[in-house]
Amino acid sequence: MKIWVDADACPAVIKDILFKAAERTKVQVTLVANQSIRTPRSRYIKFIQVSAGFDVADN
């Protein structure tokens, strides 16, 4: 299982919950956004930066 998150619209509180859950359950969480997002160092958490534009992260 993998969890993909449109991180541009995701509240920080939810990202924190996802980070903790990824570590606890060992499930891969990938955040996609058009701006840099700080993530904890983890083998289960990845970040992909995409170009700016309407729904680019969704695609």
Side-chain angles (χ1 to χ4, degrees):
M1 178 181 355
K2 291 183 180 181
I3 299 172
W4 288 81
V5 180
D6 178 352
D8 287 324
C10 186
V13 124
I14 301 302
K15 286 186 268 193
D16 289 340
I17 291 169
L18 287 168
F19 296 156
K20 290 176 187 171
E23 286 296 319
R24 187 179 72 249
T25 61
K26 298 177 177 33
V27 170
Q28 183 71 50
V29 173
T30 303
L31 296 108
V32 182
N34 61 16
Q35 58 187 344
S36 183
I37 293 179
R38 297 188 74 190
T39 59
R41 292 177 60 114
S42 169
R43 62 187 284 188
Y44 304 108
I45 301 167
K46 295 190 177 172
F47 171 70
I48 299 173
Q49 188 167 357
V50 295
S51 60
F54 183 73
D55 282 345
V56 173
D58 294 330
N59 294 330

mmCIF file of all heavy atoms in Angstrom, residues 17-39:
data_model
loop_
_atom_site.group_PDB
_atom_site.id
_atom_site.type_symbol
_atom_site.label_atom_id
_atom_site.label_comp_id
_atom_site.label_asym_id
_atom_site.label_seq_id
_atom_site.Cartn_x
_atom_site.Cartn_y
_atom_site.Cartn_z
ATOM 1 N N ILE A 17 0.132 13.941 11.196
ATOM 2 C CA ILE A 17 -0.513 12.654 11.478
ATOM 3 C C ILE A 17 -0.038 11.598 10.490
ATOM 4 O O ILE A 17 0.270 10.464 10.861
ATOM 5 C CB ILE A 17 -2.049 12.802 11.450
ATOM 6 C CG1 ILE A 17 -2.520 13.648 12.637
ATOM 7 C CG2 ILE A 17 -2.737 11.437 11.441
ATOM 8 C CD1 ILE A 17 -3.966 14.070 12.567
ATOM 9 N N LEU A 18 0.041 11.968 9.213
ATOM 10 C CA LEU A 18 0.503 11.031 8.188
ATOM 11 C C LEU A 18 1.953 10.613 8.419
ATOM 12 O O LEU A 18 2.300 9.441 8.239
ATOM 13 C CB LEU A 18 0.351 11.654 6.799
ATOM 14 C CG LEU A 18 -1.075 11.762 6.280
ATOM 15 C CD1 LEU A 18 -1.119 12.653 5.050
ATOM 16 C CD2 LEU A 18 -1.640 10.388 5.982
ATOM 17 N N PHE A 19 2.807 11.556 8.822
ATOM 18 C CA PHE A 19 4.204 11.239 9.092
ATOM 19 C C PHE A 19 4.315 10.211 10.219
ATOM 20 O O PHE A 19 5.053 9.232 10.114
ATOM 21 C CB PHE A 19 4.995 12.495 9.464
ATOM 22 C CG PHE A 19 5.083 13.516 8.368
ATOM 23 C CD1 PHE A 19 5.300 14.849 8.680
ATOM 24 C CD2 PHE A 19 4.955 13.179 7.034
ATOM 25 C CE1 PHE A 19 5.398 15.809 7.687
ATOM 26 C CE2 PHE A 19 5.048 14.132 6.025
ATOM 27 C CZ PHE A 19 5.273 15.455 6.357
ATOM 28 N N LYS A 20 3.574 10.425 11.285
ATOM 29 C CA LYS A 20 3.614 9.487 12.419
ATOM 30 C C LYS A 20 3.048 8.131 12.021
ATOM 31 O O LYS A 20 3.593 7.085 12.400
ATOM 32 C CB LYS A 20 2.825 10.065 13.596
ATOM 33 C CG LYS A 20 3.497 11.260 14.228
ATOM 34 C CD LYS A 20 2.639 11.860 15.320
ATOM 35 C CE LYS A 20 3.263 13.156 15.816
ATOM 36 N NZ LYS A 20 2.378 13.888 16.718
ATOM 37 N N ALA A 21 1.967 8.136 11.255
ATOM 38 C CA ALA A 21 1.346 6.883 10.828
ATOM 39 C C ALA A 21 2.265 6.102 9.888
ATOM 40 O O ALA A 21 2.323 4.866 9.954
ATOM 41 C CB ALA A 21 0.007 7.165 10.154
ATOM 42 N N ALA A 22 2.976 6.801 9.019
ATOM 43 C CA ALA A 22 3.896 6.134 8.099
ATOM 44 C C ALA A 22 4.974 5.380 8.871
ATOM 45 O O ALA A 22 5.302 4.231 8.540
ATOM 46 C CB ALA A 22 4.530 7.157 7.155
ATOM 47 N N GLU A 23 5.525 6.013 9.870
ATOM 48 C CA GLU A 23 6.548 5.369 10.690
ATOM 49 C C GLU A 23 5.975 4.193 11.468
ATOM 50 O O GLU A 23 6.578 3.121 11.541
ATOM 51 C CB GLU A 23 7.174 6.374 11.665
ATOM 52 C CG GLU A 23 8.103 7.351 11.008
ATOM 53 C CD GLU A 23 9.323 6.670 10.393
ATOM 54 O OE1 GLU A 23 9.896 5.752 11.011
ATOM 55 O OE2 GLU A 23 9.694 7.069 9.282
ATOM 56 N N ARG A 24 4.816 4.386 12.051
ATOM 57 C CA ARG A 24 4.224 3.352 12.892
ATOM 58 C C ARG A 24 3.810 2.121 12.073
ATOM 59 O O ARG A 24 4.019 0.989 12.500
ATOM 60 C CB ARG A 24 3.011 3.914 13.636
ATOM 61 C CG ARG A 24 2.421 2.968 14.659
ATOM 62 C CD ARG A 24 1.242 3.563 15.407
ATOM 63 N NE ARG A 24 0.075 3.650 14.540
ATOM 64 C CZ ARG A 24 -0.463 4.772 14.073
ATOM 65 N NH1 ARG A 24 0.054 5.943 14.402
ATOM 66 N NH2 ARG A 24 -1.515 4.763 13.297
ATOM 67 N N THR A 25 3.246 2.355 10.880
ATOM 68 C CA THR A 25 2.712 1.255 10.079
ATOM 69 C C THR A 25 3.661 0.792 8.974
ATOM 70 O O THR A 25 3.381 -0.191 8.301
ATOM 71 C CB THR A 25 1.380 1.660 9.432
ATOM 72 O OG1 THR A 25 1.600 2.779 8.560
ATOM 73 C CG2 THR A 25 0.343 2.010 10.484
ATOM 74 N N LYS A 26 4.745 1.542 8.772
ATOM 75 C CA LYS A 26 5.720 1.241 7.718
ATOM 76 C C LYS A 26 5.076 1.266 6.327
ATOM 77 O O LYS A 26 5.365 0.436 5.471
ATOM 78 C CB LYS A 26 6.425 -0.081 7.991
ATOM 79 C CG LYS A 26 7.211 -0.062 9.284
ATOM 80 C CD LYS A 26 7.836 -1.392 9.554
ATOM 81 C CE LYS A 26 8.699 -1.440 10.770
ATOM 82 N NZ LYS A 26 8.409 -0.668 11.913
ATOM 83 N N VAL A 27 4.202 2.250 6.130
ATOM 84 C CA VAL A 27 3.528 2.456 4.846
ATOM 85 C C VAL A 27 4.147 3.682 4.173
ATOM 86 O O VAL A 27 4.368 4.713 4.816
ATOM 87 C CB VAL A 27 2.004 2.657 5.045
ATOM 88 C CG1 VAL A 27 1.341 3.099 3.758
ATOM 89 C CG2 VAL A 27 1.381 1.384 5.560
ATOM 90 N N GLN A 28 4.431 3.573 2.876
ATOM 91 C CA GLN A 28 5.038 4.663 2.109
ATOM 92 C C GLN A 28 4.045 5.819 1.934
ATOM 93 O O GLN A 28 2.935 5.613 1.465
ATOM 94 C CB GLN A 28 5.457 4.151 0.739
ATOM 95 C CG GLN A 28 6.153 5.173 -0.114
ATOM 96 C CD GLN A 28 7.537 5.481 0.406
ATOM 97 O OE1 GLN A 28 8.310 4.587 0.672
ATOM 98 N NE2 GLN A 28 7.843 6.741 0.559
ATOM 99 N N VAL A 29 4.455 7.029 2.322
ATOM 100 C CA VAL A 29 3.667 8.241 2.100
ATOM 101 C C VAL A 29 4.466 9.145 1.165
ATOM 102 O O VAL A 29 5.621 9.459 1.438
ATOM 103 C CB VAL A 29 3.372 8.988 3.429
ATOM 104 C CG1 VAL A 29 2.712 10.322 3.166
ATOM 105 C CG2 VAL A 29 2.504 8.135 4.330
ATOM 106 N N THR A 30 3.847 9.544 0.056
ATOM 107 C CA THR A 30 4.487 10.435 -0.903
ATOM 108 C C THR A 30 3.678 11.719 -0.987
ATOM 109 O O THR A 30 2.486 11.683 -1.283
ATOM 110 C CB THR A 30 4.574 9.781 -2.302
ATOM 111 O OG1 THR A 30 5.289 8.553 -2.178
ATOM 112 C CG2 THR A 30 5.273 10.695 -3.283
ATOM 113 N N LEU A 31 4.337 12.835 -0.700
ATOM 114 C CA LEU A 31 3.697 14.143 -0.794
ATOM 115 C C LEU A 31 4.088 14.789 -2.116
ATOM 116 O O LEU A 31 5.252 14.740 -2.497
ATOM 117 C CB LEU A 31 4.144 15.033 0.367
ATOM 118 C CG LEU A 31 3.707 14.518 1.730
ATOM 119 C CD1 LEU A 31 4.916 13.982 2.455
ATOM 120 C CD2 LEU A 31 3.035 15.585 2.500
ATOM 121 N N VAL A 32 3.110 15.382 -2.786
ATOM 122 C CA VAL A 32 3.346 16.052 -4.062
ATOM 123 C C VAL A 32 2.886 17.495 -3.914
ATOM 124 O O VAL A 32 1.761 17.746 -3.486
ATOM 125 C CB VAL A 32 2.569 15.362 -5.206
ATOM 126 C CG1 VAL A 32 2.860 16.045 -6.525
ATOM 127 C CG2 VAL A 32 2.899 13.878 -5.270
ATOM 128 N N ALA A 33 3.767 18.445 -4.263
ATOM 129 C CA ALA A 33 3.425 19.861 -4.137
ATOM 130 C C ALA A 33 4.259 20.682 -5.101
ATOM 131 O O ALA A 33 5.299 20.229 -5.581
ATOM 132 C CB ALA A 33 3.667 20.342 -2.709
ATOM 133 N N ASN A 34 3.802 21.914 -5.353
ATOM 134 C CA ASN A 34 4.559 22.790 -6.250
ATOM 135 C C ASN A 34 5.480 23.731 -5.488
ATOM 136 O O ASN A 34 6.084 24.600 -6.071
ATOM 137 C CB ASN A 34 3.628 23.570 -7.192
ATOM 138 C CG ASN A 34 2.669 24.458 -6.457
ATOM 139 O OD1 ASN A 34 2.846 24.748 -5.274
ATOM 140 N ND2 ASN A 34 1.639 24.899 -7.139
ATOM 141 N N GLN A 35 5.576 23.541 -4.183
ATOM 142 C CA GLN A 35 6.512 24.310 -3.368
ATOM 143 C C GLN A 35 7.212 23.343 -2.419
ATOM 144 O O GLN A 35 6.695 22.271 -2.135
ATOM 145 C CB GLN A 35 5.784 25.386 -2.585
ATOM 146 C CG GLN A 35 4.701 24.857 -1.682
ATOM 147 C CD GLN A 35 3.897 25.976 -1.060
ATOM 148 O OE1 GLN A 35 4.314 27.108 -1.066
ATOM 149 N NE2 GLN A 35 2.744 25.649 -0.529
ATOM 150 N N SER A 36 8.355 23.711 -1.959
ATOM 151 C CA SER A 36 9.123 22.846 -1.078
ATOM 152 C C SER A 36 8.396 22.650 0.252
ATOM 153 O O SER A 36 7.845 23.596 0.809
ATOM 154 C CB SER A 36 10.496 23.458 -0.831
ATOM 155 O OG SER A 36 11.263 22.601 -0.046
ATOM 156 N N ILE A 37 8.406 21.418 0.727
ATOM 157 C CA ILE A 37 7.754 21.090 1.990
ATOM 158 C C ILE A 37 8.752 20.333 2.851
ATOM 159 O O ILE A 37 9.418 19.404 2.373
ATOM 160 C CB ILE A 37 6.492 20.235 1.761
ATOM 161 C CG1 ILE A 37 5.443 21.070 1.041
ATOM 162 C CG2 ILE A 37 5.963 19.680 3.069
ATOM 163 C CD1 ILE A 37 4.170 20.339 0.751
ATOM 164 N N ARG A 38 8.844 20.724 4.108
ATOM 165 C CA ARG A 38 9.755 20.045 5.029
ATOM 166 C C ARG A 38 9.131 18.725 5.458
ATOM 167 O O ARG A 38 7.971 18.681 5.865
ATOM 168 C CB ARG A 38 10.022 20.919 6.235
ATOM 169 C CG ARG A 38 10.718 22.228 5.840
ATOM 170 C CD ARG A 38 11.143 23.001 7.028
ATOM 171 N NE ARG A 38 12.303 22.284 7.574
ATOM 172 C CZ ARG A 38 12.860 22.532 8.736
ATOM 173 N NH1 ARG A 38 12.379 23.482 9.493
ATOM 174 N NH2 ARG A 38 13.899 21.855 9.152
ATOM 175 N N THR A 39 9.922 17.686 5.354
ATOM 176 C CA THR A 39 9.472 16.374 5.796
ATOM 177 C C THR A 39 10.532 15.784 6.715
ATOM 178 O O THR A 39 11.720 16.067 6.565
ATOM 179 C CB THR A 39 9.263 15.418 4.599
ATOM 180 O OG1 THR A 39 10.487 15.285 3.891
ATOM 181 C CG2 THR A 39 8.174 15.919 3.672
#
